[in-house]
């Protein structure tokens, strides 16, 4: 059973471009969480999704960021018009049910130049 | 709102020393879960332990041990006979039963074990 897969592992974007980060949860997991880790900081919750639904997006910046978890395929975190401050590690975690332990992916390190 | 505080930003020890990483949490919920994760220099998050709020038994796993005290809202982590490979950032985290598996992380403690 493969773990949580995130790709790409490293992503470089120029200011103003779009960044798409993908997360394939573990098999059988329908709950996905995205976290952001700014340099030298802890992880901060961004958004919680269940298949086709956004459950909690209280940690998402109001502009330029969006997330989806379609019925088929991976969850996508999309950042439009990236700025240098978006440079961070973005982690995805998945769990099979509400309240169970979540498993983390390896993260995507986004660098905006 | 819940909060996790790791007051020690950085700790440096010499190999074979014991080291304790502190974690203090805040929540008004009665059912919650506490976690420790390790983030080595390679950057991935390694799960170490999950405890629920009703289980205050201390736990030992090899050189690792955890001390959960509800009275002081603390969940401290001790590494016995530290090794260079223990060098990493360690995060304490909290999740509430009401918020699913969403985690609130502390800011982390950078542990450096010198040979």
């Amino acid at each position: 059973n493969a773990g949580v897969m995130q790709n790409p592992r490293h992503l470089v974007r120029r200011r103003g471009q779009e960044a798409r980060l993908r997360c394939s949860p573990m098999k059988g997991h329908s709950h996905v969480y995205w976290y952001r880790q700014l340099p030298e900081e802890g992880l901060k919750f961004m958004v919680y999704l269940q298949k086709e639904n956004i459950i909690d997006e209280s940690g998402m910046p109001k502009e330029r960021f969006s997330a989806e978890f379609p019925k088929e395929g991976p969850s996508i975190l999309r950042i439009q018009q990236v700025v240098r401050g978006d440079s961070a590690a973005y982690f995805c975690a998945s769990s099979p049910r509400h309240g169970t332990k979540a498993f983390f992916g390896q993260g995507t390190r986004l660098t905006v130049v | 709102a819940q909060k996790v505080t790791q007051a020690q930003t950085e700790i440096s020890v010499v190999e074979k020393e014991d080291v304790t990483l502190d974690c203090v949490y805040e929540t008004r919920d009665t059912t919650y879960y506490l976690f420790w994760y390790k983030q080595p220099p390679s950057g991935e998050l390694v799960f170490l332990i999950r405890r629920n709020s009703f289980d205050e038994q201390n736990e030992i796993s090899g050189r690792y041990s955890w001390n959960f005290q509800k009275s002081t809202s603390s969940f401290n982590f001790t590494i016995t006979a530290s090794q260079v490979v223990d060098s990493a950032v360690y995060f304490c985290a909290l999740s509430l039963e009401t918020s699913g598996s969403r985690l609130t992380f502390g800011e982390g403690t950078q542990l450096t074990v010198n040979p």
Side-chain angles (χ1 to χ4, degrees), chain B residues 95-106:
Chain B
S95 73
L96 307 179
E97 187 175 45
T98 53
S99 59
S101 305
R102 168 185 168 171
L103 292 164
T104 297
F105 283 86

Side-chain angles (χ1 to χ4, degrees), chain A residues 4-8 20-26 29-34 47-54 60 66-78 91-94 108:
Chain A
V4 178
M5 304 299 292
Q6 288 188 249
N7 66 82
R20 281 186 182 237
L21 287 61
R22 292 174 183 75
C23 170
S24 296
M26 288 179 72
H29 287 196
S30 59
H31 299 247
V32 165
Y33 303 78
W34 285 93
V47 62
Y48 164 30
L49 308 108
Q50 207 177 342
K51 280 286 185 182
E52 300 185 274
N53 291 304
I54 296 175
M60 283 276 267
S66 62
E68 62 177 11
F69 188 16
K71 189 176 179 182
E72 302 291 338
S75 175
I76 306 285
L77 179 67
R78 182 180 177 210
F91 287 91
C92 165
S94 74
T108 293

Side-chain angles (χ1 to χ4, degrees), chain A:
Chain A
N1 189 6
V4 178
M5 304 299 292
Q6 288 188 249
N7 66 82
R9 291 291 308 278
H10 299 273
L11 181 62
V12 179
R13 283 288 177 266
R14 294 187 186 281
R15 279 178 297 171
Q17 289 185 320
E18 179 180 286
R20 281 186 182 237
L21 287 61
R22 292 174 183 75
C23 170
S24 296
M26 288 179 72
K27 188 176 179 181
H29 287 196
S30 59
H31 299 247
V32 165
Y33 303 78
W34 285 93
Y35 295 84
R36 177 165 67 173
Q37 184 179 27
L38 294 169
E40 311 296 325
E41 293 188 15
L43 283 80
K44 297 288 192 294
F45 167 78
M46 298 182 76
V47 62
Y48 164 30
L49 308 108
Q50 207 177 342
K51 280 286 185 182
E52 300 185 274
N53 291 304
I54 296 175
I55 307 300
D56 179 356
E57 55 181 348
S58 58
M60 283 276 267
K62 293 286 184 277
E63 297 177 352
R64 301 188 298 108
F65 285 73
S66 62
E68 62 177 11
F69 188 16
K71 189 176 179 182
E72 302 291 338
S75 175
I76 306 285
L77 179 67
R78 182 180 177 210
I79 311 172
Q80 295 179 288
Q81 300 174 325
V82 295
V83 300
R84 289 240 170 92
D86 297 332
S87 295
Y90 292 83
F91 287 91
C92 165
S94 74
S95 67
R97 292 178 305 280
H98 178 90
T100 54
K101 190 185 97 173
F103 295 79
F104 279 85
Q106 300 268 52
T108 293
R109 276 139 189 91
L110 171 66
T111 302
V112 179
V113 297

Side-chain angles (χ1 to χ4, degrees), chain B residues 69-115:
Chain B
Q69 293 198 340
K70 282 178 83 167
S71 60
T72 55
S73 296
S74 65
F75 186 44
N76 297 337
F77 172 33
T78 297
I79 302 174
T80 304
S82 59
Q83 299 176 2
V84 173
V85 293
D86 295 327
S87 296
V89 181
Y90 290 85
F91 291 100
C92 181
L94 166 73
S95 73
L96 307 179
E97 187 175 45
T98 53
S99 59
S101 305
R102 168 185 168 171
L103 292 164
T104 297
F105 283 86
E107 292 299 308
T109 297
Q110 169 73 61
L111 173 65
T112 302
V113 181
N114 299 297

